Amino acid sequence: MISPVTASKIYSILGNNDSLIPMAIKDTSNSLGLTAGSYITGKDAESQDRFIDEFGTQAIWLLGIPAYKKLLDWTMFKPLGFDAGVDVRVLRDPEVFEKAKKFAKLHDEKFKDNKDVKKIAKSLEDITSKQKLFKGLTFGKFIASTLLTIISYGALTNFRQKYREKKITKEFFEKEAMKRANAASNSKLNKVPHVFNSVHNKDKKDKNTSFTGGFNIQDFMFSPVKNLMIVDGTITTERLVKSQNKQEFMGFAIKEGSFWFFMYMAGAQIKSWLENRSLKKHNIPIDLDARVIESDVLKNALLNKEIMHNINQFPVGNPTPAEIYEFVNTNQDNLIVKMAKQCEIIKTIKGTEPDGQKNLMNRSIDNRKFIDPEDIKGLKDKLVLLFDKGEEFVAKDIEAAKLKAQQEGKEFKEFTSEDIGKSLEKYLEKVKKANRGATLKNIGACIGFLGILMPAMIVAWRFMDKDNKEYQVRKDIENKLRAQMAGQQV
């Protein structure tokens, strides 16, 4: 049985539009559906071509950029003495950067035996006088890792097209050989095999024979999903440009258009719609990370009515990024900060938990990592909404209890703290179930379309036109081989 902590993390990942794991799940379902559809329409040759294209592309698409970035960390950053773990956005606001160095030193003094803490303090100091170089290297890493991933996909495309041509050519000659052998058994005049062999040998010798006729850059640099959009844009373009016939072009057009919508846009739109519907129809706010909603720390703060005390500690008005950074570093026991750590808005350092409190929300902050002030403010506002709707839920329970007592002719007894606690627990359970349900509906809708409906649409499109059903790439290659054979016979 999956533990509650593990379950909440799974739902958190599945509901995160910036995580690569939901992308991988959606893409795998899409690849399996398309491969199955290709087998239905074109049997082995087309399905194997699709398998190589889809799963090879998926590996490059998901793993290419992280792998190349890791390689560049070793070849570009380490030789210059830089810590590649430092997020360059920490340097964006000079005041925030100074505070990051200050708090990193304080952590170093507190955890003198922790090598990771010492490394963080040193790495920030090392960058101080070389900020321009570090920023340039970071930008260069983004460009280089993206280009190398794109080049890798280009190599895969060339390999795939050569592989399918070789396979189809081999199958064609095997079929022709059988035809010639059958013909030879009925005739003593058997000159064609020599012609056939010359064509086949020519194909082996001539290996070059071809049968083919403004945005915010930082958003793309630091969002894994948006970073993939650049690669995906190139993949889509290359697939369309390098399509070898109308059938392949139209198949890619349907596939890529649907893929882009359900991979990059539909998820966020469905999520927003489900959250708004839950709030308007059921008065249940679910726009929070599952690890926050299902946290016992949040539950206790709500039951003990400490949640607003914690929220009121947050800087009033419109605090600056530096003020928010100061708040999270000096109030690490605050509920907002703990929940930000829990859902990893704030990154932490392993091994810095107090004894007996082995939980990431009790760790110290990793000051190398960027803390988005807007995410912190957004989390605070969502906690306020969760509290307000909880109060309304309890009030409705009280009104319902009054009405029931009146209908039964009994005297209404005021809600005790225990009754209120039970009502709030029921409220949190509804929030948890609604959040999980929305996550499953969202990813289920995308998987259903990408893995079932869209491949079925492509198969239906192929079957609607009898001239379009046959695998066109095979047809084109075989026609050219026949033309070459006819030329040899002359």
Side-chain angles (χ1 to χ4, degrees):
M1 184 176 177
I2 300 175
S3 71
V5 174
T6 304
S8 66
K9 187 168 185 179
I10 291 171
Y11 280 99
S12 169
I13 291 169
L14 293 178
N16 184 0
N17 289 324
D18 284 327
S19 171
L20 295 183
I21 293 177
M23 305 280 285
I25 293 171
K26 294 174 190 177
D27 194 41
T28 299
S29 66
N30 181 235
S31 298
L32 288 171
L34 289 168
T35 301
S38 295
Y39 183 79
I40 292 170
T41 54
K43 301 301 178 187
D44 290 345
E46 185 174 358
S47 61
Q48 285 183 16
D49 177 52
R50 176 68 72 177
F51 182 87
I52 293 170
D53 185 28
E54 293 298 329
F55 286 96
T57 299
Q58 185 184 64
I60 293 169
W61 178 62
L62 289 171
L63 305 177
I65 289 176
Y68 284 124
K69 280 185 174 179
K70 196 70 178 175
L71 177 65
L72 293 168
D73 286 344
W74 282 87
T75 55
M76 291 170 59
F77 286 78
K78 195 170 182 180
L80 293 171
F82 287 133
D83 179 1
V86 176
D87 191 317
V88 74
R89 289 172 292 179
V90 176
L91 312 179
R92 190 163 62 190
D93 186 322
E95 195 175 350
V96 168
F97 182 51
E98 289 303 315
K99 288 182 181 294
K101 290 193 292 180
K102 180 184 79 172
F103 289 114
K105 286 180 181 177
L106 291 174
H107 292 150
D108 187 21
E109 293 171 6
K110 184 177 178 181
F111 302 98
K112 291 183 179 179
D113 296 330
N114 190 309
K115 294 180 180 179
D116 291 333
V117 175
K118 189 173 291 297
K119 177 184 174 183
I120 290 168
K122 184 178 183 303
S123 65
L124 291 172
E125 282 297 336
D126 289 344
I127 289 170
T128 302
S129 60
K130 302 175 183 177
Q131 293 185 43
K132 189 173 181 180
L133 175 59
F134 185 80
K135 290 176 182 177
L137 285 174
T138 302
F139 183 74
K141 180 172 75 170
F142 161 69
I143 296 296
S145 60
T146 304
L147 287 176
L148 287 168
T149 303
I150 290 169
I151 291 168
S152 298
Y153 174 71
L156 173 69
T157 301
N158 291 331
F159 166 78
R160 177 177 64 87
Q161 291 183 345
K162 288 178 181 178
Y163 174 82
R164 72 183 179 188
E165 287 182 9
K166 184 177 178 181
K167 180 177 176 61
I168 291 170
T169 300
K170 181 175 179 287
E171 291 174 355
F172 172 80
F173 285 133
E174 286 173 352
K175 286 190 292 184
E176 287 297 314
M178 289 182 67
K179 288 180 184 178
R180 305 302 180 188
N182 291 333
S185 65
N186 298 319
S187 174
K188 294 181 180 180
L189 298 174
N190 188 13
K191 297 179 181 179
V192 178
H194 301 290
V195 176
F196 162 74
N197 286 334
S198 67
V199 176
H200 190 43
N201 291 334
K202 179 187 175 186
D203 181 68
K204 283 184 176 180
K205 291 174 186 177
D206 186 6
K207 294 183 179 179
N208 294 320
T209 300
S210 173
F211 301 115
T212 62
F215 56 82
N216 186 342
I217 191 70
Q218 288 200 10
D219 286 347
F220 288 82
M221 285 176 65
F222 300 107
S223 169
V225 172
K226 288 183 179 179
N227 204 166
L228 286 181
M229 289 177 74
I230 299 174
V231 178
D232 225 351
T234 305
I235 290 173
T236 298
T237 303
E238 187 162 356
R239 278 175 165 170
L240 294 173
V241 169
K242 288 197 173 184
S243 295
Q244 294 183 312
N245 50 64
K246 182 181 177 182
Q247 182 190 83
E248 192 173 36
F249 179 87
M250 287 302 298
F252 277 136
I254 295 170
K255 189 263 184 190
E256 294 299 313
S258 302
F259 181 89
W260 268 82
F261 180 72
F262 278 90
M263 193 64 72
Y264 295 114
M265 292 172 275
Q269 292 179 8
I270 294 171
K271 182 176 185 289
S272 179
W273 181 81
L274 290 169
E275 288 168 354
N276 290 333
R277 183 175 179 272
S278 176
L279 191 59
K280 290 178 181 178
K281 189 173 181 179
H282 304 291
N283 210 36
I284 298 292
I286 58 173
D287 185 18
L288 272 168
D289 190 289
R291 288 172 291 180
V292 173
I293 291 173
E294 301 185 31
S295 168
D296 286 336
V297 174
L298 174 66
K299 178 181 176 181
N300 292 332
L302 194 62
L303 295 176
N304 297 332
K305 297 189 176 181
E306 294 176 356
I307 186 168
M308 287 310 297
H309 169 71
N310 282 266
I311 288 168
N312 290 333
Q313 292 178 338
F314 193 80
V316 296
N318 188 24
T320 65
E323 289 172 335
I324 292 174
Y325 195 86
E326 180 82 23
F327 166 76
V328 299
N329 277 276
T330 55
N331 294 274
Q332 295 199 40
D333 287 330
N334 183 277
L335 180 69
I336 299 170
V337 180
K338 284 192 169 187
M339 292 301 98
K341 290 178 181 179
Q342 181 78 345
C343 61
E344 299 183 80
I345 290 173
I346 296 175
K347 299 296 189 297
T348 55
I349 312 166
K350 289 182 179 179
T352 57
E353 309 97 321
D355 291 338
Q357 298 182 36
K358 300 298 181 183
N359 190 301
L360 66 83
M361 72 175 71
N362 298 314
R363 296 174 185 167
S364 292
I365 293 171
D366 185 345
N367 295 106
R368 294 174 304 171
K369 306 303 182 183
F370 177 63
I371 301 173
D372 193 329
E374 294 303 317
D375 286 347
I376 301 295
K377 286 193 286 186
L379 176 59
K380 185 263 293 183
D381 292 339
K382 290 172 186 178
L383 290 172
V384 170
L385 181 63
L386 184 75
F387 173 80
D388 290 342
K389 295 303 177 185
E391 293 280 282
E392 291 177 17
F393 188 91
V394 172
K396 283 185 178 180
D397 266 5
I398 294 172
E399 287 301 316
K402 284 181 180 179
L403 181 61
K404 183 179 179 182
Q406 185 180 3
Q407 290 173 343
E408 294 176 353
K410 296 179 181 179
E411 181 182 355
F412 172 71
K413 294 181 180 180
E414 292 293 331
F415 258 38
T416 63
S417 58
E418 185 179 349
D419 293 328
I420 293 172
K422 288 179 180 178
S423 181
L424 285 172
E425 285 184 357
K426 185 168 66 173
Y427 164 70
L428 282 175
E429 188 64 24
K430 284 182 176 291
V431 174
K432 182 179 85 172
K433 286 183 178 179
N435 176 270
R436 287 187 172 192
T439 299
L440 292 176
K441 287 175 186 176
N442 189 347
I443 197 163
C446 293
I447 288 173
F449 188 91
L450 289 171
I452 301 172
L453 186 57
M454 190 261 282
M457 288 167 56
I458 294 176
V459 171
W461 166 68
R462 291 275 294 274
F463 274 97
M464 281 192 296
D465 184 353
K466 61 181 176 61
D467 295 328
N468 190 37
K469 181 183 174 183
E470 188 179 347
Y471 185 29
Q472 190 62 45
V473 171
R474 177 191 288 278
K475 198 173 179 180
D476 291 344
I477 292 173
E478 289 181 349
N479 286 340
K480 288 180 181 180
L481 287 170
R482 289 191 185 98
Q484 283 189 5
M485 289 176 64
Q488 288 289 334
Q489 289 177 344
V490 174

